[in-house]
mmCIF file of all heavy atoms in Angstrom:
data_model
loop_
_atom_site.group_PDB
_atom_site.id
_atom_site.type_symbol
_atom_site.label_atom_id
_atom_site.label_comp_id
_atom_site.label_asym_id
_atom_site.label_seq_id
_atom_site.Cartn_x
_atom_site.Cartn_y
_atom_site.Cartn_z
ATOM 1 N N GLY F 1192 42.439 32.691 -40.389
ATOM 2 C CA GLY F 1192 42.488 31.269 -40.703
ATOM 3 C C GLY F 1192 41.435 30.367 -39.887
ATOM 4 O O GLY F 1192 41.344 29.220 -40.014
ATOM 5 N N PRO F 1195 34.352 31.425 -40.282
ATOM 6 C CA PRO F 1195 33.640 32.532 -39.818
ATOM 7 C C PRO F 1195 32.397 32.072 -38.972
ATOM 8 O O PRO F 1195 32.089 30.927 -38.901
ATOM 9 C CB PRO F 1195 33.042 33.129 -41.138
ATOM 10 C CG PRO F 1195 33.180 31.940 -42.137
ATOM 11 C CD PRO F 1195 34.345 31.259 -41.575
ATOM 12 N N PHE F 1198 25.768 31.684 -39.529
ATOM 13 C CA PHE F 1198 24.447 32.095 -39.345
ATOM 14 C C PHE F 1198 23.460 31.804 -40.499
ATOM 15 O O PHE F 1198 24.042 31.472 -41.523
ATOM 16 C CB PHE F 1198 24.325 33.707 -39.003
ATOM 17 C CG PHE F 1198 24.782 34.404 -40.139
ATOM 18 C CD1 PHE F 1198 23.973 35.037 -41.072
ATOM 19 C CD2 PHE F 1198 26.277 34.674 -40.408
ATOM 20 C CE1 PHE F 1198 24.337 35.792 -42.034
ATOM 21 C CE2 PHE F 1198 26.597 35.580 -41.394
ATOM 22 C CZ PHE F 1198 25.705 36.026 -42.333
ATOM 23 N N GLY F 1208 12.129 34.010 -42.889
ATOM 24 C CA GLY F 1208 12.326 33.714 -41.406
ATOM 25 C C GLY F 1208 13.572 33.003 -41.136
ATOM 26 O O GLY F 1208 13.708 32.637 -39.896
ATOM 27 N N ALA F 1209 14.431 32.765 -41.992
ATOM 28 C CA ALA F 1209 15.689 32.019 -41.814
ATOM 29 C C ALA F 1209 16.629 32.791 -40.910
ATOM 30 O O ALA F 1209 17.541 32.209 -40.203
ATOM 31 C CB ALA F 1209 16.381 31.655 -43.121
ATOM 32 N N ILE F 1214 18.748 39.245 -30.441
ATOM 33 C CA ILE F 1214 19.674 40.519 -30.470
ATOM 34 C C ILE F 1214 19.411 41.315 -29.138
ATOM 35 O O ILE F 1214 18.267 41.809 -29.017
ATOM 36 C CB ILE F 1214 19.603 41.304 -31.751
ATOM 37 C CG1 ILE F 1214 19.916 40.404 -32.929
ATOM 38 C CG2 ILE F 1214 20.431 42.443 -31.754
ATOM 39 C CD1 ILE F 1214 19.546 41.041 -34.287
ATOM 40 N N GLY F 1216 18.749 40.429 -26.268
ATOM 41 C CA GLY F 1216 17.798 39.781 -25.413
ATOM 42 C C GLY F 1216 16.335 39.724 -26.166
ATOM 43 O O GLY F 1216 15.474 39.187 -25.545
ATOM 44 N N VAL F 1242 24.509 39.038 -29.685
ATOM 45 C CA VAL F 1242 23.817 38.154 -30.693
ATOM 46 C C VAL F 1242 23.774 36.715 -30.250
ATOM 47 O O VAL F 1242 24.944 36.344 -30.087
ATOM 48 C CB VAL F 1242 24.397 38.305 -32.164
ATOM 49 C CG1 VAL F 1242 23.576 37.645 -33.182
ATOM 50 C CG2 VAL F 1242 24.393 39.927 -32.585
ATOM 51 N N VAL F 1253 22.728 24.013 -34.152
ATOM 52 C CA VAL F 1253 23.504 23.274 -35.069
ATOM 53 C C VAL F 1253 25.041 23.695 -35.022
ATOM 54 O O VAL F 1253 25.810 22.985 -34.914
ATOM 55 C CB VAL F 1253 22.991 23.395 -36.594
ATOM 56 C CG1 VAL F 1253 23.852 22.613 -37.478
ATOM 57 C CG2 VAL F 1253 21.487 22.984 -36.637
ATOM 58 N N ARG F 1260 15.244 24.335 -37.099
ATOM 59 C CA ARG F 1260 13.845 24.493 -36.792
ATOM 60 C C ARG F 1260 12.936 23.429 -37.525
ATOM 61 O O ARG F 1260 11.835 23.837 -37.764
ATOM 62 C CB ARG F 1260 13.542 25.894 -37.299
ATOM 63 C CG ARG F 1260 14.110 27.023 -36.477
ATOM 64 C CD ARG F 1260 13.953 28.413 -36.962
ATOM 65 N NE ARG F 1260 14.516 28.550 -38.321
ATOM 66 C CZ ARG F 1260 13.959 29.270 -39.187
ATOM 67 N NH1 ARG F 1260 12.783 29.903 -38.997
ATOM 68 N NH2 ARG F 1260 14.505 29.400 -40.419
ATOM 69 N N ALA F 1269 2.145 17.313 -40.140
ATOM 70 C CA ALA F 1269 0.943 16.734 -39.433
ATOM 71 C C ALA F 1269 -0.348 17.088 -39.908
ATOM 72 O O ALA F 1269 -1.344 16.430 -39.651
ATOM 73 C CB ALA F 1269 1.268 16.855 -37.974
ATOM 74 N N GLY F 1271 -0.947 20.614 -42.174
ATOM 75 C CA GLY F 1271 -0.880 21.773 -42.831
ATOM 76 C C GLY F 1271 -1.109 21.670 -44.351
ATOM 77 O O GLY F 1271 -0.440 22.066 -45.111
ATOM 78 N N PRO F 1276 -9.063 17.292 -55.163
ATOM 79 C CA PRO F 1276 -9.112 16.246 -56.200
ATOM 80 C C PRO F 1276 -7.934 16.381 -57.212
ATOM 81 O O PRO F 1276 -7.748 17.612 -57.587
ATOM 82 C CB PRO F 1276 -10.556 16.314 -56.743
ATOM 83 C CG PRO F 1276 -10.891 17.728 -56.424
ATOM 84 C CD PRO F 1276 -10.215 18.091 -55.229
ATOM 85 N N PHE F 1297 -5.852 35.154 -44.473
ATOM 86 C CA PHE F 1297 -4.673 35.907 -45.015
ATOM 87 C C PHE F 1297 -3.800 36.355 -43.727
ATOM 88 O O PHE F 1297 -2.641 36.341 -43.759
ATOM 89 C CB PHE F 1297 -5.192 37.061 -45.803
ATOM 90 C CG PHE F 1297 -5.250 36.711 -47.296
ATOM 91 C CD1 PHE F 1297 -6.423 37.035 -47.853
ATOM 92 C CD2 PHE F 1297 -4.304 36.200 -47.917
ATOM 93 C CE1 PHE F 1297 -6.702 36.861 -49.262
ATOM 94 C CE2 PHE F 1297 -4.446 35.920 -49.293
ATOM 95 C CZ PHE F 1297 -5.677 36.226 -49.965
ATOM 96 N N GLU F 1298 -4.549 36.858 -42.807
ATOM 97 C CA GLU F 1298 -3.840 37.246 -41.400
ATOM 98 C C GLU F 1298 -3.031 36.047 -40.881
ATOM 99 O O GLU F 1298 -1.842 36.441 -40.519
ATOM 100 C CB GLU F 1298 -4.792 37.785 -40.508
ATOM 101 C CG GLU F 1298 -4.258 38.317 -39.156
ATOM 102 C CD GLU F 1298 -5.246 38.695 -38.128
ATOM 103 O OE1 GLU F 1298 -6.214 38.200 -37.963
ATOM 104 O OE2 GLU F 1298 -5.121 39.793 -37.615
ATOM 105 N N HIS F 1327 -5.375 29.389 -40.404
ATOM 106 C CA HIS F 1327 -5.362 29.796 -41.871
ATOM 107 C C HIS F 1327 -6.121 28.805 -42.714
ATOM 108 O O HIS F 1327 -6.502 29.172 -43.702
ATOM 109 C CB HIS F 1327 -4.081 30.303 -42.294
ATOM 110 C CG HIS F 1327 -3.228 29.447 -43.018
ATOM 111 N ND1 HIS F 1327 -2.256 28.637 -42.460
ATOM 112 C CD2 HIS F 1327 -3.145 29.135 -44.401
ATOM 113 C CE1 HIS F 1327 -1.658 27.927 -43.460
ATOM 114 N NE2 HIS F 1327 -2.243 28.212 -44.725
ATOM 115 N N LEU F 1343 -6.050 18.400 -34.096
ATOM 116 C CA LEU F 1343 -5.739 17.395 -33.226
ATOM 117 C C LEU F 1343 -4.151 16.864 -33.522
ATOM 118 O O LEU F 1343 -3.368 16.729 -32.494
ATOM 119 C CB LEU F 1343 -6.591 16.162 -33.192
ATOM 120 C CG LEU F 1343 -8.078 16.465 -32.611
ATOM 121 C CD1 LEU F 1343 -8.889 15.271 -32.800
ATOM 122 C CD2 LEU F 1343 -7.992 16.853 -31.264
ATOM 123 N N MET F 1349 3.091 19.108 -32.015
ATOM 124 C CA MET F 1349 3.744 20.136 -31.240
ATOM 125 C C MET F 1349 4.145 19.686 -29.882
ATOM 126 O O MET F 1349 5.304 19.976 -29.402
ATOM 127 C CB MET F 1349 2.763 21.330 -31.178
ATOM 128 C CG MET F 1349 3.395 22.555 -30.363
ATOM 129 S SD MET F 1349 2.139 23.809 -30.048
ATOM 130 C CE MET F 1349 1.091 22.900 -28.982
ATOM 131 N N ASP F 1350 3.356 18.995 -29.208
ATOM 132 C CA ASP F 1350 3.558 18.397 -27.840
ATOM 133 C C ASP F 1350 4.715 17.554 -27.963
ATOM 134 O O ASP F 1350 5.730 17.493 -27.056
ATOM 135 C CB ASP F 1350 2.448 17.947 -27.154
ATOM 136 C CG ASP F 1350 1.419 18.902 -26.942
ATOM 137 O OD1 ASP F 1350 1.709 20.154 -26.654
ATOM 138 O OD2 ASP F 1350 0.144 18.590 -26.612
ATOM 139 N N GLU F 1352 7.149 17.308 -30.081
ATOM 140 C CA GLU F 1352 8.454 17.957 -30.417
ATOM 141 C C GLU F 1352 9.192 18.618 -29.249
ATOM 142 O O GLU F 1352 10.161 19.104 -29.275
ATOM 143 C CB GLU F 1352 8.158 19.023 -31.509
ATOM 144 C CG GLU F 1352 7.854 18.398 -32.927
ATOM 145 C CD GLU F 1352 9.093 17.561 -33.491
ATOM 146 O OE1 GLU F 1352 10.173 17.797 -33.113
ATOM 147 O OE2 GLU F 1352 8.798 16.606 -34.454
ATOM 148 N N THR F 1365 3.994 39.709 -29.241
ATOM 149 C CA THR F 1365 4.753 40.980 -29.234
ATOM 150 C C THR F 1365 5.852 40.867 -30.165
ATOM 151 O O THR F 1365 6.312 41.739 -30.809
ATOM 152 C CB THR F 1365 5.229 41.278 -27.738
ATOM 153 O OG1 THR F 1365 4.106 41.462 -27.005
ATOM 154 C CG2 THR F 1365 5.949 42.564 -27.791
ATOM 155 N N GLU F 1382 -10.969 25.306 -31.598
ATOM 156 C CA GLU F 1382 -11.197 24.325 -32.581
ATOM 157 C C GLU F 1382 -10.644 22.847 -31.864
ATOM 158 O O GLU F 1382 -11.125 21.892 -32.296
ATOM 159 C CB GLU F 1382 -10.101 24.643 -33.633
ATOM 160 C CG GLU F 1382 -10.587 25.727 -34.560
ATOM 161 C CD GLU F 1382 -11.676 25.365 -35.555
ATOM 162 O OE1 GLU F 1382 -11.710 24.167 -35.958
ATOM 163 O OE2 GLU F 1382 -12.489 26.061 -36.004
#
Side-chain angles (χ1 to χ4, degrees):
F1198 63 96
I1214 301 170
V1242 182
V1253 176
R1260 291 178 297 146
F1297 275 123
E1298 180 179 45
H1327 97 264
L1343 293 173
M1349 175 189 68
D1350 291 341
E1352 290 294 337
T1365 301
E1382 288 282 333

